[in-house]
Amino acid sequence: MDNKIKPREQWGSKIGFTLAAVGSAVGLGNIWRFPTRVGDNGGAAYLFVYLIIIALIGVTVMLAELTIGRKTQLNPVGAFRALSKKWTFVGAMGVLAGFVILSFYSVVGGWTIGYIVRSLTGQFSGDTTELFLGLITNPGEPLLWHAVFMALTIGIVFFGIKGGIEKASKILMPALFIMLILVIIRSLTLEGAGAGLSFYLKPDFSEITLSTVVAAIGQAFFSLSLGMGAMITYGSYLNKEENLIKSAAIIPALDTFIAFIAGLAILPAVFAMGVAPNEGAGLAFMTLPGVFAQMPLGGFFGFLFFVLLFFAALTSAISLLEVVVSFVVDQLKWTRAKATTIMGAIIFVLGAFCSLSYADAKIADVFIWAGEPLFDLMDKLGEYLLVIGALLTSIFVGWAWKTENALQEITNGGKFKFGLAKVWSVLIKYVVPVILVIVFFTYFGFLEI
Ligand code: TRP
């Protein structure tokens, strides 16, 4: 579609945008990745740091991305190029991040399908650690689910952004919320849950180190879908009447709330079941089935939970693929159909290698480099790209495009009041870049953590 002739497709309703953006943010990052990171990084101290990071950095960068998107009405690459040619590469990096993240994300999305099937065949009552390992070490089955997950993501992006996502998110979010509450009730009443609760909620501040902060920042961007232009893309479908400030506050608030309650649902169960909190990628998958097994109507609720988790993952995956596709459509002038299928297929292959890197030894060997499975490497690389993307975005808005111009767009020329304009300007210009540069240095070993 030529943007100069036809007006760009816009959100059907205000609530539609917020729901879709929340649909992008809330996903496996909240329910699978967040509790894993809490477990890896010592519990409550990490949670404490995470909440501060969201408020300080997450909200700031969220507003910056939405603003760039609405101002330019373009995909990330086009958006940066429209504002300053020199910065086009930041958008391109985002497209790369989309590839990297969706590859392993889709594998985990596939695991949720595997679990839906297992809930139906009554397999939640046995050893849950075995249940998870049985799935991922088998080379074929996770590949099949990854293919199904990717095919569905491609199918939805193929048919355009509005219809699918908007409708799905309206039912999905509240339903997921209710399911999590049910899981929390059961999880907290398990014997031995108390230790998990204090692990999660009683911080020992002496445990906070630079590495806690670095881990929290990477997770914050991942969970909020920031640092790769997803929110630029979403902002680009927004009209000028929308209050960006409100959106930049509501999306992180809802996303963080869901992550918080996911931790409350999973970590007490982790301790009650004697799973190590730093178990890694399997943490949620090894504990949740056990919670359902001990719940009245657990078979049914377990099924429902994984169906909802699957949909939450799908709405997030859509936003990842959307960044890649809208770039190819807008910049290379491919048709949407061609862009979606070809890009989706490449991501599928990359993800297949990630999946195989967890398979049983002989096969996995090929995909384990320097002692780390490709899956973990992609996860790490994705996080690096997000942090670098957010760093460059903040420098761009603060110093190249300039905060005055951004504020002009945010307030729609003074129409919306923005009491914290000064605070936001200082954050995006100085605070966020300085902190992210420090994180960047730790990634490359210039700073010990
Ligand atoms: N935020 C999503 C989640 O928590 C994942 C996601 C979707 C994402 N789009 C993104 C992460 C863009 C980073 C960038 O599951």
Side-chain angles (χ1 to χ4, degrees), residues 226-446:
L226 289 177
M228 55 87 73
M231 289 299 163
I232 294 181
T233 308
Y234 276 62
S236 77
Y237 292 101
L238 219 46
N239 72 45
K240 304 279 174 195
E241 302 310 308
E242 191 75 54
N243 186 342
L244 292 177
I245 305 156
K246 251 193 208 154
S247 300
I250 290 174
I251 302 163
L254 286 175
D255 183 71
T256 305
F257 180 65
I258 298 284
F260 174 75
I261 64 171
L264 215 47
I266 289 163
L267 288 158
V270 166
F271 280 73
M273 287 173 202
V275 173
N278 59 353
E279 175 60 49
L283 196 68
F285 288 93
M286 285 177 184
T287 47
L288 285 168
V291 177
F292 292 114
Q294 300 179 54
M295 194 189 266
L297 292 176
F300 170 69
F301 286 130
F303 166 75
L304 205 59
F305 181 88
F306 281 100
V307 168
L308 290 169
L309 183 57
F310 159 78
F311 275 111
L314 193 61
T315 53
S316 300
I318 289 163
S319 80
L320 283 160
L321 187 58
E322 181 64 34
V323 170
V324 177
V325 166
S326 69
F327 161 67
V328 179
V329 170
D330 282 357
Q331 303 298 326
L332 306 182
K333 308 286 177 224
W334 287 19
T335 62
R336 198 169 181 89
K338 182 176 160 195
T340 328
T341 37
I342 293 183
M343 295 298 136
I346 298 173
I347 292 167
F348 166 74
V349 173
L350 201 57
F353 296 153
C354 290
S355 178
L356 290 173
S357 74
Y358 278 169
D360 44 30
K362 253 193 261 123
I363 302 170
D365 265 358
V366 185
F367 302 104
I368 296 179
W369 301 326
E372 281 206 74
L374 184 63
F375 183 108
D376 299 43
L377 290 171
M378 284 295 178
D379 189 348
K380 227 186 237 172
L381 176 62
E383 202 171 284
Y384 288 6
L385 288 170
L386 296 182
V387 168
I388 298 169
L391 168 62
L392 293 168
T393 303
S394 62
I395 295 175
F396 172 76
V397 171
W399 300 90
W401 184 32
K402 302 244 187 300
T403 45
E404 303 83 76
N405 292 316
L407 285 169
Q408 192 68 18
E409 177 67 27
I410 291 168
T411 59
N412 199 357
K415 196 163 159 254
F416 290 112
K417 294 263 164 295
F418 187 19
L420 294 172
K422 277 246 163 58
V423 177
W424 180 77
S425 304
V426 171
L427 286 171
I428 200 80
K429 238 177 134 162
Y430 303 102
V431 179
V432 173
V434 167
I435 295 176
L436 296 187
V437 164
I438 295 173
V439 176
F440 180 80
F441 281 149
T442 65
Y443 285 161
F444 293 95
F446 298 128

Side-chain angles (χ1 to χ4, degrees), residues 61-72:
V61 176
M62 176 70 72
L63 183 55
E65 281 203 21
L66 291 176
T67 307
I68 295 173
R70 193 181 62 180
K71 167 76 188 172
T72 57

Side-chain angles (χ1 to χ4, degrees), residues 24-30 101 105 221-226 228 230 316 319-320 386:
S24 161
V26 174
L28 296 166
N30 307 60
I101 294 173
Y105 198 90
F221 289 144
F222 190 98
S223 192
L224 297 178
S225 303
L226 289 177
M228 55 87 73
S316 300
S319 80
L320 283 160
L386 296 182

